[in-house]
Amino acid sequence: MLIRSAPDLKYSDVTSKKDFLDRRRFLASAAAGVALGGPAAQAAKLEARKSGYTVAETVTPLKAITGYNNYYEFGTNKDDPARNAGEFRTEPWQVSVEGHCAKPAKYDLDSLRKLAPLEERIYRLRCVEAWSMVVPWIGFSLSEVLKRSEPTSKAKYVAFETYYDSKQMPLAKGSRIPLPYKEGLRLDEAMHPLTLLTFGLYGEVLPNQNGAPVRMIIPWKYGFKSIKSIVKISFVEKEPPFTWGIMIPNEYGFYSNVNPEVDHPRWSQGSERRIGEFSKRKTLMFNGYADQVASLYAGMDLKKHY
Amino acid sequence: MPSPLRSRWLKAAVFAASLVPVAWLGVDAWRDNLGANPIEFITRALGDWTMRFLLLTLAITPARRLLKLPDLIRYRRMLGLFAFFYGVLHLITWVWLDKFFDLNEMWADVMKRRFITVGMLSFLLMVPLAVTSTTGWIRRMGGKNWQLLHRLIYPSVAFGVIHYLWLVKSDIRMPVLYGAIFAGLMALRLVKR
Ligand code: HEM
């Protein structure tokens, strides 16, 4: 059983002592940041109830989760976003839900966050670059938002868009990826309970480098599908274009489900390096979420629809 | 006064300086200072230093002429061997820490992943140059043949640049920079004396 109900799992159970101490130290420096009015001043607590959608695996240290990021708008090196996203303004923030639906809506962050009770879910995260982490995210199922807008029969897919501002993201150009960043899901994927609209991690609001103030987490897909800093969610009829597919069509598929059988031209996908571990581990089909999501793809040739 | 480039002390200093990058990596590894993914960090740093030493080696010939410092030739073999040294370490990190000596997987990677294919080519071209780097081999081969063989450094660097270009996802600034330096050093060779 890969996912189990673990209502009273604490970080101290799933995090090694040293990592836990690292975290304490981080919190202490965050507190110092508050005193100095630095970027860390934003780190605010986020209350969330425990969720059954949680894996009982060692959580990756906070330092790695917030220091090793792909967020090309803030630079293409893994440590760039932590360095460069600190000043990014996430207030005010508006998310527009539009397209083929009966009730389009615009939410400010607060009203969006209050649509449903926040849950903490510990998910595996598998990057297409063959590394992985385990992250305690905070959010609720995206379906809570989508169903309120009452998608019509024409709504077959959901398209997402990231905020883009070349003034606030002066390093974005060097990445050469077309911006704003776009992603998409099939409607049934978007409505799946595992698909998490995410506001926080490790008990706090999302740090900027992790896609503040609100992002997607789709745990059975490669990380680049989990779009950050969302401003637009639209119901569309056709499979929407997505950034990496526009950039390098023969390497990135729309589905991009984690699949050890289908190699990427640059990385073998059969195994992965869990951040913090020395040996590699085998990559699991659908990142270990096959029981929950395999039925979405019944009858599909996943080698073709990679 | 004899040129300081002829000093054995300077040569020893350059030798020591060439070991600084690997020493640095060692110290940082020991202090757990290599970021969230130390193995990736090490692989990349060693790849970078392989490239830098190759370019330094290539820079000797034009620099001798342009700076009128013929004695620089005394450093070329050493720099070339350091390029090979970092190349070997780069390869070892891949063989050991990425592939864990799994021959099948390595072979599959060399055949399937074009950035690995050209990286391997680049490395293999360096092997005969390292082997024949001794004075004995120059004598045995004769200067002409030896020089001809050692032109293999050109395709080696070219494949190294392509290796880097093909492994980045979208941000090509660093491989393009290396490529431009390589092109510049080649162009200087063509300029009439
Ligand atoms: C022996 C065969 C070789 C193999 C298997 C190999 C493999 C690799 C791998 C796996 C990476 C890291 C890719 C990543 O992190 O995504 C890399 C990076 C790199 N390699 Fe190699 N490589 C080889 C030879 C070479 C040679 C001969 C050179 C130099 C001419 C070189 C220069 C580089 C550079 C510059 C990088 C990128 C460093 C950075 O990102 O800062 N490699 N190589």
Side-chain angles (χ1 to χ4, degrees), chain B residues 44 47-48 50 54 90-91 94 119-120 122-123 160 163-164 167:
Chain B
R44 293 186 152 235
D48 268 331
T50 310
L54 279 173
H90 181 60
L91 178 61
W94 179 74
M120 196 54 88
S122 168
F123 177 77
H163 168 66
Y164 198 0
L167 78 90

Side-chain angles (χ1 to χ4, degrees), chain A residues 267, chain B residues 40 43-48 50-51 54 87 90-91 94 98 115-116 118-124 126 156-157 159-161 163-164 167-168 178:
Chain A
W267 306 281
Chain B
E40 178 190 69
T43 309
R44 293 186 152 235
L46 293 170
D48 268 331
T50 310
M51 181 63 83
L54 279 173
H90 181 60
L91 178 61
W94 179 74
D98 198 38
F115 90 88
I116 299 283
V118 291
M120 196 54 88
L121 271 174
S122 168
F123 177 77
L124 290 178
M126 290 163 74
S156 175
V157 180
F159 284 130
V161 169
H163 168 66
Y164 198 0
L167 78 90
V168 297
Y178 284 142

